[in-house]
Amino acid sequence: EIIKSLIESYFKIVRKNFIDFVPKTIMYFLVNHVRDAMQNELVSELYREAEMGTLMQEAEDIAQRRQTCVEMRDLLGKALEIVNEVRDFNTFK
């Protein structure tokens, strides 16, 4: 009687585990399939030749900031030259 009860309990646990695992397994494979299909679709849309130029184009605000930085670098280089000239002039006195 005890063995029968233990076996019934064991099969109830196994049945419950199967009932829990089946939807999880289905969702796992479904989600992975959708993820892979979506990734393939997005990558193919991303690498279309027609839009490559648009995607690689620099944003207007970034271009402006880059130009400002280049100008600032040039001005700082000139300022450094002037400071070096003044320093050299003062050392020769």
Side-chain angles (χ1 to χ4, degrees):
E1 196 62 36
I2 294 175
I3 294 176
K4 183 179 178 182
S5 174
L6 289 173
I7 290 175
E8 286 177 358
S9 296
Y10 174 76
F11 279 115
K12 284 180 183 178
I13 292 171
V14 169
R15 184 172 183 261
K16 183 183 179 305
N17 284 341
F18 270 104
I19 290 172
D20 288 344
F21 281 131
V22 168
K24 289 178 184 178
T25 305
I26 291 171
M27 287 303 294
Y28 171 79
F29 286 113
L30 183 67
V31 168
N32 280 342
H33 176 72
V34 169
R35 183 196 66 202
D36 293 340
M38 189 178 295
Q39 181 179 2
N40 291 336
E41 182 69 25
L42 291 174
V43 167
S44 67
E45 286 292 318
L46 181 64
Y47 289 117
R48 287 193 315 187
E49 288 293 325
E51 295 184 15
M52 191 60 70
T54 305
L55 292 172
M56 297 298 287
Q57 187 176 4
E58 186 176 36
E60 192 65 35
D61 60 329
I62 301 296
Q64 181 64 36
R65 285 181 56 202
R66 183 178 47 77
Q67 184 62 33
T68 303
C69 288
V70 168
E71 291 171 0
M72 182 62 73
R73 185 196 64 198
D74 293 341
L75 288 173
L76 289 173
K78 290 177 184 177
L80 181 63
E81 288 176 15
I82 293 170
V83 167
N84 286 336
E85 287 177 10
V86 169
R87 185 194 66 208
D88 292 343
F89 180 74
N90 286 336
T91 57
F92 289 128
K93 283 187 173 183

